[in-house]
Amino acid sequence: IKGIEVSNGKIYVRTFISKGGKEKYIIMDIKGNEINTTWISSELEVSLLAQIAGGKLYSIANGKLYYIKENIDSEEWELFAEPLK
């Protein structure tokens, strides 16, 4: 397990399983019964130092994964949202 988020009565489990630039997420109900699995962009990594400090660049709310990614060219942070079905 790479991470766990609870939102709107569902548990979202981020796994270490990846393919084609996407990571596997398991979606469960609050009792731990599996509802679905989905594959989401694996661009959510932060540096080891940020991980140690508790930093993360994503959150789950209302059935969507929200994450920010630095645009090196413009030197700005961009916000993305992907549905978790």
Side-chain angles (χ1 to χ4, degrees):
I1 295 175
K2 201 171 194 176
I4 296 176
E5 296 268 336
V6 178
S7 176
N8 297 63
K10 293 182 183 172
I11 302 168
Y12 298 88
V13 180
R14 183 180 178 195
T15 73
F16 281 97
I17 301 168
S18 62
K19 68 177 179 182
K22 295 185 178 246
E23 293 180 329
K24 182 180 180 180
Y25 278 73
I26 300 169
I27 304 170
M28 298 185 287
D29 65 20
I30 206 69
K31 293 182 179 181
N33 300 307
E34 188 173 320
I35 299 171
N36 196 12
T37 60
T38 189
W39 296 84
I40 297 294
S41 172
S42 60
E43 299 183 37
L44 306 176
E45 296 304 318
V46 295
S47 70
L48 180 59
L49 183 59
Q51 289 178 32
I52 292 169
K56 66 178 191 171
L57 304 177
Y58 69 94
S59 186
I60 294 174
N62 301 318
K64 289 186 179 180
L65 173 74
Y66 295 91
Y67 63 97
I68 57 173
K69 187 171 95 173
E70 184 178 13
N71 182 322
I72 303 299
D73 296 330
S74 67
E75 297 183 356
E76 294 181 340
W77 289 92
E78 297 174 339
L79 174 65
F80 297 90
E82 293 189 37
L84 292 167
K85 300 176 183 176

